[in-house]
Amino acid sequence: MNQVIGSGINRKDGRAKVTGTATYAAEHQIPGLVHGYLVTASIAHGQITNIDTQTAEQASGVIAVFTHNNRPQICKPTNNFMASKIYEARLPLSDNQIHYAGQIIGLVVADTFEQARHAAHLVKVEYATQEPIVVAKNGTFQEAISMFGQKMQFEKGNCATGMTDAIAKIEATYITSTEMHAAMEPHAIIAHWQDADTLTIYEPSQWVIGSQRTYAELFGLPAEKVRIITPFIGGAFGCKAFPWPHAILCTAAARQLQYPLKLVLSRRQVTANAGHRSETEQKIRLGANGDGSLTAIEHTAKSCTSPVDVFAEPCTGITSAMYAAPNLGIEQEIAVMNVGTPTFMRAPGENPGMWALESAMDELAWELKIDPVELRLKNETKEHQHQCLPFSAKHFAECLRVGAEQFGWQDRPQQVRSLTRDGKLIGWGMAASTFPAFRGSASVTVRLLADSTAEILTSGNDMGTGAYTVVAATAAEGLGLPVEQIRVKLGDSLLPNGGMAGGSQMSATLVPAVMAACKEVLKTAQATTAQEAFAALRESGEATLEATASAAPGGEGKKWAFQSWGAHFCEVGIDEEIGRLQVTRWVSVMNIGQVINAKTAASQIRGAVIMGIGHALMEECHFDPNIGYPVVYDFATYHFPTHADIPRIQVTFVGEPDLNFNPAGVRGVGEIGITGVSAAIANAIYHATGKRIRDLPITPDKLL
Ligand code: MOS
């Protein structure tokens, strides 16, 4: 035993990233490459009545201009979630209809990027405009039926009765703003057709095997004729799992022209065209007995979608997992707006959902004069109330207790406005965290080389989360080798199917398969250690020895609900005169099953807390009521935290391996850290100021 698993090893890809040798999609060098630039709609709703491409076509270096009048050939994919999903059901350039500002209405291809961009601005478009809906309150809300087969309405008991019987009641509405993924790497693609039927794509993809299938369907090819290459992703957070219209159009144009074609979106195009998290409005009603035990939880959520696809931000998914209540009801509503299609963004649903629920729990704690940690301990549920299954390896109470202890929560004064320091009001707040545990199936090849190194090969992606490092740590353990002797290759659809980097499932998917493949290769070598295998390899004169193994979930999901848990504790300092708020202290305690690499796992939680601080205090987007464009369009106009906004974030993991879930006991750690962060901050603000803010982001004007 090496004892690598659980220790804190350095990022395998760290050096490549900081020295600039990690190759991102747009950086691949393809001979003969030409460049595309998008033409986008300047109105939010209406029709194109005329589109004149003549001047653009004659501009210097221009190879072709595509519009709905000469759309390159694209087939309609099945578009099922796990089959061949595209982010927008409407294919690019389908017709002359405009559904949102920034919608793609053309593509210019030229010898250079500058020529393409220049010519794109020479395309003359005339529109017949219609009144767009770009403000949620003008939308028509309807019941949201389902998200990927999961029902969004649920009731057990009778909430009305539960509320009538309650001694203490909370009813409040919580708001979140439209948010942008704001990944460092903008969306980009190089589509390279080797011939009319053989395609290689370089694109940031969280799921190369899924993309391979989708592009195959889009272009009427067998999957093996398509190769997706994504060794590195510069941030994704959910907006790089499936092809967006720009990528589909680029690939179609490249096929028709038979040139390798590169298309990089501007920040503004990313903002309008490549997903966002919808704004939400959530109503929570809580009823409780005098001792704090809940009698009813009601949670209704509203979010918005685009005219060309349905994505209902699933805020109520967490509600029946968090706290036990005899009466519990959830509902989701959705309205169509003339905006781009919203999509998955780190803890989709769980993050805004926990903002509302954990704010309401704090309000109830004050109402009942019960400590908010005690209130949560009191109402812990042993089973998932919607799935009707017991939770496996749940250590939520431990997260609360250890967090309270580390933070010094017992010293918290029970009155608002009672702590001050250096002329500032100080507040302490806490909130719970949760995220379901998912797992996919994966195959992994382990190859031993005569030079005493090992290669681990699988298609699964590292979107910056640490998958390279987690795979290396697991293989080091499984083979009994130093981590330096392990090389990991990821993110290529030619490699064995490694599943999807989404839903925080990459570790739970890959780690059991890596373990199995390590065992398999030693068995093949008839060796008990890698050293023995290397010796045998050298003796035989063979260069390599390899084995492939797979791992997949079984029937455990019928017996158990798998979910991760946590608690955040924070301190804020507020200068009320100028509305300035500083987060000054942070403690997070998480229960995620087996931690594979302590360093990257803690880093995932820190990143998520930082993103949560942005969600709580800064991140905001509205759509211009006149032209329908997002009013933010780059990293200067879209505010998110910088170093100066972030305190030291203390992260601790508790619990045990969740061996009911998989042989490694790992549940994953990508998303959970953001959940509850904004509520912990708003709860601390209430403690500091006595002001309950239910509308995110909490900008200085709301604190004055
Ligand atoms: Mo994540 S929002 O499942 O990429």
Side-chain angles (χ1 to χ4, degrees):
M1 265 299 200
N2 238 1
Q3 300 265 308
V4 189
I5 285 186
S7 74
I9 63 166
N10 290 337
R11 258 178 200 277
K12 272 302 234 187
D13 51 343
R15 178 180 288 266
K17 283 189 168 172
V18 298
T19 55
T21 58
T23 313
Y24 293 86
E27 298 175 328
H28 290 273
Q29 301 299 311
I30 312 292
L33 187 85
V34 297
H35 299 262
Y37 199 89
L38 296 174
V39 184
T40 58
S42 60
I43 65 161
H45 190 197
Q47 293 83 34
I48 298 169
T49 51
N50 190 42
I51 186 159
D52 177 359
T53 58
Q54 217 178 353
T55 319
E57 278 161 17
Q58 284 157 7
S60 137
V62 170
I63 296 163
V65 181
F66 294 96
T67 70
H68 67 278
N69 292 323
N70 62 337
R71 184 182 94 168
Q73 206 198 336
I74 306 168
C75 311
K76 219 170 152 51
T78 323
N79 197 16
N80 286 333
F81 182 39
M82 294 313 280
S84 54
K85 185 173 163 53
I86 52 177
Y87 273 120
E88 276 191 14
R90 178 185 183 273
L91 293 173
L93 310 186
S94 286
D95 49 39
N96 68 340
Q97 299 296 312
I98 305 299
H99 303 280
Y100 57 90
Q103 179 189 312
I104 297 165
I105 57 172
L107 173 71
V108 176
V109 179
D111 292 332
T112 70
F113 171 79
E114 289 76 12
Q115 288 167 336
R117 184 176 56 183
H118 173 68
H121 291 105
L122 300 176
V123 175
K124 293 186 207 76
V125 191
E126 287 163 41
Y127 302 98
T129 61
Q130 281 163 268
E131 189 69 23
I133 297 172
V134 293
V135 177
K137 70 170 165 41
N138 297 337
T140 308
F141 283 89
Q142 291 181 328
E143 188 179 318
I145 305 300
S146 80
M147 267 283 284
F148 310 117
Q150 203 181 346
K151 257 180 75 190
M152 301 188 98
Q153 326 297 332
F154 170 70
E155 186 167 11
K156 77 162 194 176
N158 183 316
C159 287
T161 318
M163 286 304 291
T164 316
D165 294 348
I167 303 292
K169 293 170 203 192
I170 294 295
E171 176 171 344
T173 301
Y174 303 91
I175 311 277
T176 65
S177 178
T178 302
E179 290 175 274
M180 298 299 164
H181 297 76
M184 274 171 70
E185 181 195 21
H187 289 256
I189 179 171
I190 297 172
H192 183 197
W193 291 85
Q194 280 77 19
D195 57 52
D197 293 317
T198 312
L199 171 64
T200 302
I201 284 183
Y202 305 86
E203 185 183 26
S205 165
Q206 296 174 232
W207 189 20
V208 290
I209 297 288
S211 284
Q212 177 191 40
R213 217 156 40 208
T214 308
Y215 281 103
E217 284 195 18
L218 283 161
F219 296 101
L221 303 169
E224 59 272 19
K225 294 296 241 180
V226 179
R227 180 177 177 190
I228 314 288
I229 299 178
T230 312
F232 297 99
I233 305 176
F237 310 112
C239 71
K240 290 172 179 166
F242 312 104
W244 285 106
H246 71 268
I248 299 170
L249 179 57
C250 175
T251 308
R255 185 187 212 175
Q256 182 166 325
L257 299 171
Q258 285 293 306
Y259 278 116
L261 178 56
K262 184 200 296 202
L263 177 65
V264 180
L265 267 54
S266 68
R267 281 285 163 202
R268 182 166 190 161
Q269 290 166 349
V270 171
T271 308
N273 278 314
H276 58 269
R277 193 202 298 272
S278 168
E279 60 191 290
T280 70
E281 184 184 301
Q282 301 173 68
K283 200 162 105 182
I284 301 258
R285 297 213 296 166
L286 298 178
N289 294 320
D291 69 350
S293 54
L294 290 164
T295 58
I297 307 173
E298 248 186 301
H299 189 177
T300 63
K302 289 180 179 174
S303 71
C304 302
T305 191
S306 79
V308 290
D309 212 322
V310 181
F311 184 91
E313 180 78 17
C315 300
T316 55
I318 44 95
T319 319
S320 42
M322 274 317 293
Y323 302 113
N327 308 290
L328 192 149
I330 61 171
E331 264 175 56
Q332 290 258 164
E333 289 178 21
I334 192 163
V336 172
M337 295 216 299
N338 292 103
V339 301
T341 306
T343 195
F344 307 94
M345 180 171 151
R346 201 176 207 163
E350 293 86 3
N351 181 39
M354 287 294 274
W355 146 247
L357 182 61
E358 291 297 292
S359 291
M361 285 294 278
D362 197 69
E363 296 201 42
L364 182 64
W366 283 100
E367 175 80 21
L368 286 161
K369 298 190 169 55
I370 293 178
D371 184 277
V373 175
E374 286 308 313
L375 183 67
R376 285 163 175 84
L377 287 168
K378 175 120 214 150
N379 288 290
E380 187 184 2
T381 171
K382 295 280 170 233
E383 66 151 28
H384 192 294
Q385 297 164 94
H386 191 171
Q387 296 171 11
C388 299
L389 292 169
F391 287 114
S392 170
K394 177 176 181 181
H395 294 268
F396 177 47
E398 206 175 329
C399 294
L400 291 165
R401 292 201 179 100
V402 171
E405 170 73 31
Q406 287 183 355
F407 190 84
W409 187 254
Q410 69 281 359
D411 301 329
R412 174 180 181 255
Q414 300 273 353
Q415 299 85 35
V416 302
R417 304 184 73 87
S418 53
L419 280 176
T420 56
R421 194 168 63 222
D422 303 332
K424 288 184 187 132
L425 286 167
I426 303 296
W428 291 1
M430 62 80 52
S433 256
T434 195
F435 194 81
F438 300 111
R439 180 190 175 197
S441 43
S443 297
V444 170
T445 296
V446 174
R447 181 181 291 156
L448 303 179
L449 287 83
D451 68 352
S452 295
T453 63
E455 273 179 357
I456 319 299
L457 310 161
T458 184
S459 79
N461 291 90
D462 189 331
M463 53 168 155
T465 44
Y468 279 107
T469 318
V470 160
V471 167
T474 309
E477 181 93 37
L479 297 170
L481 286 179
V483 108
E484 295 71 27
Q485 279 165 249
I486 311 267
R487 280 188 304 277
V488 182
K489 288 198 178 147
L490 298 177
D492 183 338
S493 63
L494 273 187
L495 300 173
N497 182 356
M500 178 201 223
S504 301
Q505 68 186 306
M506 196 85 277
S507 293
T509 301
L510 287 183
V511 170
V514 174
M515 285 170 43
C518 289
K519 276 199 192 120
E520 193 60 31
V521 81
L522 293 179
K523 204 171 109 191
T524 310
Q526 295 177 313
T528 49
T529 65
Q531 306 307 341
E532 262 180 64
F534 291 132
L537 196 54
R538 283 188 288 266
E539 223 165 274
S540 73
E542 304 277 329
T544 65
L545 188 141
E546 67 174 54
T548 300
S550 304
E556 64 277 0
K558 294 195 180 76
K559 281 187 257 169
W560 301 98
F562 300 107
Q563 186 102 4
S564 284
W565 308 94
H568 296 294
F569 292 80
C570 72
E571 179 186 88
V572 300
I574 298 169
D575 183 340
E576 262 191 330
E577 271 178 45
I578 55 168
R580 181 181 155 79
L581 182 152
Q582 191 81 25
V583 180
T584 47
R585 213 146 65 81
W586 201 280
V587 167
S588 300
V589 181
M590 296 284 144
N591 165 224
I592 59 161
Q594 173 70 51
V595 175
I596 301 296
N597 182 36
K599 217 168 178 176
T600 44
S603 151
Q604 280 299 293
I605 297 300
R606 289 197 182 97
V609 169
I610 294 166
M611 204 165 168
I613 291 174
H615 163 71
L617 302 177
M618 299 164 201
E619 295 183 45
E620 179 169 24
C621 172
H622 301 277
F623 296 91
D624 187 313
N626 297 312
I627 57 168
Y629 260 104
V631 297
V632 300
Y633 45 86
D634 59 18
F635 283 0
T637 51
Y638 188 65
H639 293 180
F640 49 80
T642 62
H643 284 297
D645 300 306
I646 303 301
R648 201 176 98 80
I649 298 168
Q650 187 179 329
V651 180
T652 305
F653 296 103
V654 297
E656 63 193 305
D658 190 343
L659 295 170
N660 293 318
F661 189 41
N662 58 60
V666 55
R667 284 200 301 242
V669 64
E671 289 163 277
I672 183 170
I674 194 173
T675 67
V677 169
S678 50
I681 292 172
N683 298 344
I685 291 171
Y686 182 78
H687 186 232
T689 65
K691 198 185 260 189
R692 177 61 64 179
I693 302 173
R694 302 187 183 89
D695 184 0
L696 296 184
I698 305 171
T699 42
D701 51 302
K702 294 175 188 167
L703 293 167
L704 286 172

